[in-house]
């Protein structure tokens, strides 16, 4: 297959460390190379302009890119991005000093913040979250543009008031520094998290489990993006499939956290239809009602809804598993219990 350069993030960043760890030891014939970039936003522009073929990108950044929102509003919707796989969740971490008195994102108005590098996904997400909370970025006392390690060190030293980073948990750099300096995560209440998920496509409510970081005794309710492997639409399907197989195999061989983060099962996780038969889908605010429809009809409906945002969207829907109806047989019968109805059954047959 053709060689593929993986657009990651800055050297030393989580994307960079993750991808270099996965690809380390791959044979030269794999022709997969990790390339340092400024981050998710930079990767979107690189792929759209054909300077890169494949990259890792936050789901909310990808959604903004294909709809021309946020930092992409000046250039308009990008029509050549295609999600190849879902990799792992990336919660929004809003980190403050334990003694700061900062309790909510609204308290960050006028403060000194680190939001990630200008072309990073973290910067893009942080600015949109601040705006949604009514915090004017132009009124901030300072915005730190350096790397995350430096930002956390400045926070610990009292030179910054907060660090906002979109990163997979546990964030190793935070674990290390929080073991030496009392730090704290601030989150969102349930109503805020739900509103963010509606207003900022690609983000979903998520909790960071208790004791993920030193001094964190409770679950922190936040929102999260998903790290996506995104390819340019003209990259051959066989190339993307072959690269994914290599990455899955490498992660499985190394095991541990790496295998948990990158697995075929996670990448291919589908949508479970809830009892009300209305599924949630990115960019479609009210969801899709699927009861009584064929997979072809559902695909057509999603395609129609996405056409407002994406140029010539390609949608396919498959039914992975159907949960059959169950019924109970009780009373003075030979074999009482619960049965699975895999076909039409009369009362007489059931008994």
């Amino acid at each position: 297959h053709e060689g593929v350069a993986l657009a990651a993030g800055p050297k030393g960043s989580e994307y960079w460390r993750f991808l270099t760890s996965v690809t380390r030891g791959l044979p030269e014939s794999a022709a997969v190379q990790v390339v340092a970039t400024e981050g998710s936003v930079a990767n979107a522009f690189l792929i759209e302009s054909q300077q890169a073929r494949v990259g890792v990108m936050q789901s909310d950044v990808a959604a903004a890119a294909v709809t021309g929102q946020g930092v992409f509003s000046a250039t308009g919707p990008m029509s050549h991005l295609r999600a190849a796989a879902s990799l792992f969740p990336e919660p929004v971490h809003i980190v403050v000093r334990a003694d700061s008195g900062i309790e909510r994102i609204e308290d960050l108005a006028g403060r000194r913040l680190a939001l990630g590098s200008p072309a990073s996904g973290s910067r893009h997400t942080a600015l949109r979250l601040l705006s949604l909370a009514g915090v004017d970025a132009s009124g901030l006392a300072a915005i730190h543009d350096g790397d995350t390690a430096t930002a956390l060190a400045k926070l610990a030293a009292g030179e910054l008031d907060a660090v906002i980073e979109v990163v997979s948990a546990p964030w190793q750099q935070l674990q290390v520094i929080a073991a030496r300096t009392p730090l704290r995560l601030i989150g969102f209440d349930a109503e805020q998290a739900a509103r963010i998920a509606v207003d900022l496509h690609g983000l979903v409510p998520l909790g960071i489990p208790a004791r993920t970081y030193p001094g964190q005794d409770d679950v922190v309710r936040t929102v999260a993006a998903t790290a996506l492997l995104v390819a340019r639409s003209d990259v051959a399907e066989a190339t993307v499939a072959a690269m994914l197989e290599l990455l899955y195999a490498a992660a499985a061989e190394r095991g541990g956290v790496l295998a948990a983060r990158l697995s075929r099962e996670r990448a291919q996780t589908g949508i479970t239809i809830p009892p009300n038969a209305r599924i949630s889908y990115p960019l479609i605010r009210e969801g899709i009602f699927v009861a009584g429809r064929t997979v072809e009809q559902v695909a057509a409906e999603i395609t129609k809804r996405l056409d407002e945002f994406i140029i010539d969207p390609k949608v396919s829907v498959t039914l992975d598993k159907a949960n059959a109806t169950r019924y109970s047989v009780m009373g003075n019968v030979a074999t009482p219990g619960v049965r699975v109805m895999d076909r039409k059954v009369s009362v007489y047959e059931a008994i």
Side-chain angles (χ1 to χ4, degrees):
H1 62 87
E2 63 181 282
V4 175
L6 279 173
K11 286 189 176 181
S13 68
E14 287 292 308
Y15 280 177
W16 172 266
R17 287 149 51 101
F18 171 71
L19 289 174
T20 53
S21 179
V22 172
T23 57
R24 187 180 298 120
L26 286 179
E28 289 188 11
S29 59
V32 176
Q33 179 186 6
V34 179
V35 178
T37 69
E38 290 186 61
S40 287
V41 172
N43 292 351
F45 283 110
L46 289 170
I47 293 172
E48 181 71 10
S49 63
Q50 302 189 60
Q51 297 179 64
R53 308 283 282 168
V54 181
V56 181
M57 196 180 303
Q58 291 174 202
S59 53
D60 61 319
V61 172
V66 300
T67 56
Q69 298 178 359
V71 71
F72 304 99
S73 58
T75 56
M78 295 184 174
S79 58
H80 297 97
L81 304 183
R82 174 168 60 96
S86 171
L87 301 180
F88 46 82
E90 297 185 286
V92 173
H93 290 65
I94 305 178
V95 190
V96 300
R97 288 179 60 91
D99 59 1
S100 67
I102 297 172
E103 300 294 337
R104 298 168 56 86
I105 190 171
E106 290 84 354
D107 297 336
L108 298 179
R111 304 277 189 163
R112 302 164 299 172
L113 308 183
L115 309 178
S117 62
S120 69
S122 289
R123 173 72 66 94
H124 175 268
T125 305
L127 289 175
R128 300 193 81 191
L129 287 173
L130 289 169
S131 176
L132 201 61
V135 177
D136 184 0
S138 65
L140 295 174
I143 297 180
H144 173 76
D145 287 335
D147 61 87
T148 53
T150 301
L152 288 172
K154 285 181 175 290
L155 176 65
E159 298 173 25
L160 286 173
D161 297 307
V163 174
I164 303 180
E165 186 75 10
V166 183
V167 59
S168 180
W171 180 12
Q172 293 181 0
Q173 292 175 324
L174 178 57
Q175 285 183 315
V176 170
I177 201 160
R180 303 193 303 262
T181 304
L183 300 176
R184 182 165 46 86
L185 290 171
I186 64 172
F188 304 96
D189 60 38
E191 184 180 341
Q192 277 183 308
R195 187 175 73 250
I196 290 169
V198 170
D199 292 342
L200 302 182
H201 296 298
L203 296 179
V204 295
L206 188 73
I208 298 176
R211 294 178 290 281
T212 298
Y213 301 104
Q216 181 205 344
D217 297 327
D218 301 310
V219 174
V220 175
R221 183 185 289 112
T222 183
V223 292
T226 299
L228 301 177
L229 191 67
V230 177
R232 188 174 161 81
S233 57
D234 55 3
V235 174
E237 292 281 355
T239 299
V240 174
M243 181 185 60
L244 285 172
E245 285 301 319
L246 288 169
L247 294 180
Y248 294 144
E253 181 180 343
R254 287 161 179 75
V257 175
L258 206 57
R261 280 189 174 183
L262 180 60
S263 67
R264 182 180 287 100
E265 290 74 20
R266 183 187 296 277
Q268 295 176 343
T269 298
I271 298 173
T272 299
I273 300 174
N276 67 1
R278 186 173 294 278
I279 61 173
S280 298
Y281 199 87
L283 304 180
I284 303 175
R285 291 178 184 269
E286 67 277 18
I288 299 289
F289 185 72
V290 299
R293 295 183 174 184
T294 66
V295 291
E296 291 80 10
Q297 290 171 328
V298 174
E301 177 69 12
I302 295 174
T303 301
K304 178 182 176 181
R305 300 286 194 89
L306 292 181
D307 191 59
E308 177 183 352
F309 307 104
I310 302 173
I311 298 174
D312 191 25
K314 305 295 184 185
V315 177
S316 62
V317 175
T318 58
L319 181 62
D320 180 56
K321 181 174 62 176
N323 293 325
T325 301
R326 289 172 168 81
Y327 62 92
S328 297
V329 178
M330 299 177 290
N332 188 20
V333 295
T335 54
V338 177
R339 305 284 189 274
V340 175
M341 185 184 294
D342 54 4
R343 60 184 177 82
K344 288 185 177 181
V345 178
S346 68
V347 174
Y348 180 81
E349 288 178 294
I351 296 174

